[in-house]
Amino acid sequence: MKSSSESNAKSSLTNERLLRLERLSELVRSLDNAHELEPFLQNVISAAGELTDSEAASILEFDEQSNTLRFLAAPWHQFEPLRGIQVPLDKSAAGWVYRELKPLRIPDVKADARHFSEVDFALAFETRSLLAVPLIVGGKPLGVLEAVNKTSADYTEDDATILETLATTTALAIHNSSLQRRVEASMIELAELDRLKNDFIAITSHELRTPLGLILGHATFLRELLGQDYREQLDIIIRNASKLKEIIESLSNVDNYETGGARVRQRAVSMARIIEEVVASFSDMASKRNITLKAELGRDDLFIEADAGKISIALSNLVKNAIVFTDDGGHIFVSGESVPGYVKVSVIDDGIGIPPKDLPRIFERFYQVESHLTRRHGGMGLGLSVAKVMIEMHGGRIWAESAEGKGSNFSFLLPVNVTQVEAASNVFLP
Ligand code: ADP
């Protein structure tokens, strides 16, 4: 039969283990909310000290530049003197753990040559016993978690298990934080690149406009002056210079909108009429390739308040694409209908379609499905971004649906009355 003092001792041991487990799992759970690394590491070292009954604990991280270990966390009153210390990989207990990827227990530090005494010297501290475990992520060591001076007896297997559990969580936290830092740095870099790209576009399109205007002006003048003699050559110059002008206009349209410089002149216009005009202007291009291009409209004039010129550019870009990306003999329908508060326009083709992976990106500036080096069609990947800008500056929305090899459906919604939309969006402002 067990004595009552024996069973009391057992139950207090079980209680103690339960408490330790509780503290451990609390810390592991707190990783989820660990937005800041430093307070989390402070939590880890105080838990490591408490749970292994040690005088102190610390975390060292490998530093690639110096090829040594450096203190990442230590009790706050010890941290300052430790900050600059470089712990060598080959002459320290922590270095041994880092290289061997194994835990290390040293009951009597004085009798072990691996101890790096500079740390004790800097802190005016005496390390008597030590337990250290590696911080590992994906099989690679990041650093070491160390506890020193067990206050009662020697470090046990249990202590090592506790420290290893803490080390796993700590390694993850350090790894996450370095990933987060890298993501943030890349975002800043991307934003800077985007700014440079925008500046480049704004400056280039502005600088190209004047010489191009002069080329067009003089070529037109010469065509008048020389009559039939050089007409063919001058027509080529004028046609190509006009194409360049269109590209520059597209670039500055997008740029103006993004920098807030775009202006919209709203008037009551008939969407049905715009659709008919755009369809008529592309009928030659379509019939040359035996493509059926039709407007599908009801009786409604589909009046909206809009800048007809800009809506016309948006719709023209969609219809032009539909012709370009549809095989000879294909079909394109442009429909317009009234939906509550809006007019909906769709351009539907049975052309080559768009792969699902590209679909979310086609409205981005310069985005093209085929590489511009190998593609058969011209264009700069600007048509859809211009269309998006034009529709969105009217408070509208544009989107695409497509099945590769079967065809595409580009649609946009425009509010019938812009002031109504503005009023509605004000109501929903937080
Ligand atoms: P681009 O003027 O170079 O064609 P866009 O911005 O107009 O540029 O279009 C971007 C890309 O989206 C095109 O290069 C093409 O790959 C794809 N695309 C646009 N419209 C269609 C369509 N109707 N059918 C298939 N692909 C399309």
Side-chain angles (χ1 to χ4, degrees):
M1 226 176 97
K2 288 175 201 155
S3 72
S4 75
S5 66
E6 207 179 308
S7 74
N8 275 350
K10 259 204 158 162
S11 89
S12 87
L13 206 68
T14 323
N15 269 346
E16 200 186 305
R17 289 193 109 171
L18 272 176
L19 283 174
R20 282 169 146 202
L21 267 178
E22 182 72 21
R23 176 89 165 91
L24 256 185
S25 68
E26 190 188 306
L27 198 118
V28 172
R29 267 183 274 129
S30 76
L31 176 65
D32 223 19
N33 305 317
H35 307 299
E36 298 272 340
L37 185 63
E38 233 177 271
F40 180 76
L41 296 183
Q42 279 302 321
N43 239 341
V44 170
I45 55 169
S46 63
E50 266 172 53
L51 295 171
T52 60
D53 214 359
S54 304
E55 270 178 25
S58 55
I59 297 166
L60 294 102
E61 187 184 28
F62 178 64
D63 172 41
E64 246 173 62
Q65 259 180 350
S66 60
N67 199 35
T68 58
L69 291 165
R70 283 167 168 271
F71 283 91
L72 192 61
W76 62 269
H77 60 282
Q78 294 184 337
F79 196 47
E80 241 354 273
L82 292 179
R83 212 184 266 278
I85 293 186
Q86 299 184 345
V87 179
L89 294 186
D90 54 345
K91 284 187 201 106
S92 67
W96 185 93
V97 170
Y98 179 84
R99 282 184 288 121
E100 299 293 323
L101 295 175
K102 278 187 212 154
L104 176 66
R105 263 188 284 167
I106 308 183
D108 181 7
V109 165
K110 268 198 221 88
D112 196 301
R114 283 173 291 196
H115 181 54
F116 179 61
S117 54
E118 204 179 296
V119 174
D120 280 2
F121 186 71
L123 295 174
F125 182 86
E126 188 194 3
T127 305
R128 296 183 303 277
S129 57
L130 175 154
L131 171 63
V133 296
L135 303 173
I136 304 174
V137 167
K140 276 194 183 164
L142 289 182
V144 175
L145 171 61
E146 242 182 22
V148 295
N149 294 355
K150 186 158 174 95
T151 49
S152 57
D154 288 340
Y155 283 112
T156 62
E157 233 5 91
D158 264 6
D159 293 331
T161 312
I162 287 172
L163 221 56
E164 278 180 313
T165 312
L166 286 174
T168 312
T169 319
T170 310
L172 272 179
I174 295 175
H175 185 62
N176 284 350
S177 145
S178 97
L179 283 182
Q180 197 180 332
R181 269 199 314 262
R182 262 190 267 166
V183 169
E184 279 164 8
S186 311
M187 304 252 288
I188 292 172
E189 212 175 299
L190 271 181
E192 177 58 13
L193 282 175
D194 205 45
R195 193 188 61 76
L196 284 176
K197 185 185 79 182
N198 287 345
D199 285 358
F200 175 75
I201 291 171
I203 295 168
T204 318
S205 53
H206 185 258
E207 291 300 314
L208 285 175
R209 206 178 265 148
T210 316
L212 196 58
L214 287 172
I215 292 174
L216 261 174
H218 281 82
T220 316
F221 173 67
L222 277 177
R223 188 170 60 180
E224 303 285 308
L225 200 73
L226 299 173
Q228 289 303 316
D229 289 354
Y230 294 99
R231 192 167 187 104
E232 205 181 314
Q233 288 84 345
L234 286 165
D235 276 349
I236 293 174
I237 294 176
I238 292 170
R239 206 170 44 245
N240 285 289
S242 305
K243 260 192 197 162
L244 272 179
K245 197 166 162 242
E246 253 176 55
I247 294 174
I248 292 167
E249 290 303 323
S250 299
L251 281 170
S252 35
N253 276 334
V254 182
D255 188 63
N256 273 343
Y257 179 72
E258 284 182 354
T259 51
R263 313 199 89 242
V264 187
R265 264 179 232 118
Q266 315 272 7
R267 285 219 185 110
V269 293
S270 156
M271 194 65 229
R273 186 141 177 224
I274 295 178
I275 292 176
E276 272 164 356
E277 281 172 6
V278 170
V279 165
S281 70
F282 281 98
S283 70
D284 271 359
M285 185 175 168
S287 65
K288 270 190 196 135
R289 303 215 4 248
N290 208 17
I291 290 174
T292 309
L293 171 62
K294 264 195 191 157
E296 286 194 330
L297 294 161
R299 285 158 175 259
D300 201 341
D301 283 332
L302 304 173
F303 271 107
I304 51 170
E305 268 180 32
D307 186 325
K310 292 191 164 56
I311 301 302
S312 194
I313 292 176
L315 184 59
S316 299
N317 288 357
L318 298 186
V319 173
K320 186 159 86 190
N321 277 347
I323 299 175
V324 170
F325 298 105
T326 295
D327 291 333
D328 293 2
H331 304 82
I332 299 164
F333 297 103
V334 186
S335 69
E337 61 181 315
S338 172
V339 294
Y342 292 87
V343 161
K344 182 181 174 194
V345 177
S346 299
V347 180
I348 304 162
D349 65 58
D350 56 2
I352 62 171
I354 300 162
K357 72 169 178 31
D358 297 296
L359 201 53
R361 300 197 55 193
I362 50 169
F363 289 97
E364 284 173 28
R365 238 194 303 183
F366 303 117
Y367 192 82
Q368 296 179 320
V369 174
E370 283 178 67
S371 152
H372 72 279
L373 296 175
T374 54
R375 65 194 248 126
R376 290 157 288 158
H377 316 285
M380 278 184 62
L382 281 172
L384 289 180
S385 54
V386 168
K388 185 169 186 280
V389 160
M390 301 289 171
I391 298 301
E392 286 180 355
M393 64 168 74
H394 284 83
R397 195 164 78 75
I398 186 166
W399 70 97
E401 291 151 301
S402 184
E404 206 176 349
K406 297 211 168 112
S408 309
N409 180 348
F410 283 80
S411 301
F412 59 81
L413 275 175
L414 283 172
V416 172
N417 185 326
V418 179
T419 38
Q420 244 170 27
V421 177
E422 276 166 8
S425 64
N426 284 341
V427 171
F428 294 117
L429 278 179

